[in-house]
Amino acid sequence: MELRVNGEHKTLPQGLTINELLLELQIPAETLVVELNGTILQSADYPLTVLKEQDRLELIQFVGGG
Amino acid sequence: MVELTGQESYLGELYSRNPPDSLARLAGKTVAIAGAGGLGSNIAVSLLRAGVQRLIIADFDRVELSNLNRQYYFSDQVGHLKVEALAENLLRINPYAELVVHPVEITSGNLVALLGGADILVEAFDGAAAKAMAVRAWLGSFPDRYVITGSGLAGFGQSASLVTTVRGRLVICGDQQGNRIEELGLSATRLGIVAQLQANAALEILLSGTMTGYPG
């Protein structure tokens, strides 16, 4: 399926969950905020949320320091 | 030493150079600041000076000497709880400020209960995971209320890389570049820019209701 991740077109296997996508991309979920079609997701939703064709996904990685 | 001649005249003079009508429009507005380190302490001072007189501030940590290169504390406050030291410093600027402080660690379990009384959350944690947690917890409970985060401020110089981006109700200030603090260190100058970007965004939201014209 085709979707947009951080503004770029990506082709990913059908039926992938957010959790599976993060594992595949090797992105640590702890320091990440996931926005799907304009809505910020809760971590508990990652294994339950199945990505669909044309979804717009933003993976916002936070950086330490304050 | 200025003689305190009553609340009305003190506040009138303190805020006489602020933008026109801003004080009246900020009356009754509350900002929560999660973390009172380099970002949080400087943000609190700027917001109070800008006329935000109701602040909720949370931090479990105590002042260390190594904090004084960038945080709004003084040598006689080393060892004190940061929230108590910061409240002291804020009240020296505006003795009528309404401050609520929580000397506790903010978690996904208590964030909404302790900070949810605010119109805006300013995230000022040190750790990346805590930053992400704050954004998820806040927008999960208050999808219509802004959260302003600081992300990426290590090193010195390169001011143009420190920018404000806006995605819905999430405002991110900083360079958003890697975990480089060990390598580059922390300077008051670059951290200060990010703190002021965050405080300026909070002021803009409180006064205009929105953040428009920023990259997403």
Side-chain angles (χ1 to χ4, degrees):
Chain A
M1 64 180 167
E2 294 273 329
L3 45 81
R4 283 177 90 92
V5 180
N6 291 358
E8 289 178 14
H9 284 285
K10 265 205 174 357
T11 306
L12 292 163
Q14 206 74 36
L16 208 64
T17 65
I18 301 279
N19 235 13
E20 289 164 343
L21 175 75
L22 297 183
L23 282 174
E24 179 157 328
L25 299 177
Q26 295 188 309
I27 295 174
E30 232 197 352
T31 54
L32 190 73
V33 165
V34 179
E35 185 197 274
L36 180 60
N37 302 322
T39 303
I40 305 282
L41 300 185
Q42 297 301 306
S43 319
D45 295 331
Y46 298 170
L48 309 172
T49 305
V50 179
L51 292 165
K52 301 185 308 295
E53 197 79 39
Q54 300 305 322
D55 272 346
R56 285 174 297 111
L57 191 68
E58 285 289 327
L59 306 175
I60 304 160
Q61 192 73 57
F62 281 83
V63 177
Chain B
M1 170 109 191
V2 175
E3 199 181 332
L4 299 186
T5 52
Q7 182 167 354
E8 205 174 323
S9 63
Y10 185 94
L11 296 179
E13 193 165 339
L14 171 62
Y15 292 124
S16 59
R17 300 291 302 274
N18 287 44
D21 301 332
S22 60
L23 263 289
R25 284 151 66 198
L26 292 171
K29 303 282 191 185
T30 304
V31 173
I33 303 173
L39 292 174
S41 63
N42 285 293
I43 290 165
V45 168
S46 276
L47 285 178
L48 182 61
R49 286 177 164 153
V52 181
Q53 297 181 75
R54 297 171 72 164
L55 299 170
I56 306 171
I57 305 166
D59 198 308
F60 63 91
D61 217 353
R62 288 175 184 272
V63 179
E64 294 176 37
L65 186 52
S66 64
N67 299 154
L68 268 54
N69 78 330
R70 65 194 189 283
Q71 305 190 16
Y72 214 104
Y73 301 107
F74 302 95
S75 57
D76 60 349
Q77 294 177 319
V78 169
H80 296 202
L81 279 167
K82 286 185 176 177
V83 290
E84 288 181 1
L86 184 54
E88 266 173 39
N89 297 341
L90 292 169
L91 292 172
R92 289 180 69 185
I93 296 166
N94 178 348
Y96 305 102
E98 295 173 48
L99 309 175
V100 174
V101 300
H102 298 294
V104 297
E105 182 169 8
I106 294 295
T107 66
S108 57
N110 67 14
L111 185 142
V112 166
L114 294 179
L115 307 180
D119 299 285
I120 293 177
L121 174 65
V122 178
E123 174 284 310
F125 289 130
D126 190 30
K131 290 172 182 292
M133 175 280 291
V135 170
R136 291 191 300 258
W138 184 263
L139 293 177
S141 288
F142 310 117
D144 296 328
R145 291 194 220 165
Y146 279 93
V147 55
I148 303 166
T149 75
S151 185
L153 46 79
F156 65 92
Q158 300 292 309
S159 301
S161 69
L162 299 171
V163 294
T164 299
T165 56
V166 180
R167 301 199 56 83
R169 291 291 188 267
L170 169 59
V171 179
I172 305 173
C173 302
D175 65 22
Q176 299 190 57
Q177 296 301 307
N179 286 303
R180 305 190 298 175
I181 289 170
E182 290 294 316
E183 179 197 349
L184 300 177
L186 291 166
S187 69
T189 52
R190 213 169 137 79
L191 176 140
I193 291 172
V194 174
Q196 301 309 336
L197 288 175
Q198 288 184 268
N200 206 32
L203 195 62
E204 183 166 357
I205 292 161
L206 291 174
L207 289 174
S208 73
T210 182
M211 289 285 282
T212 51
Y214 290 89

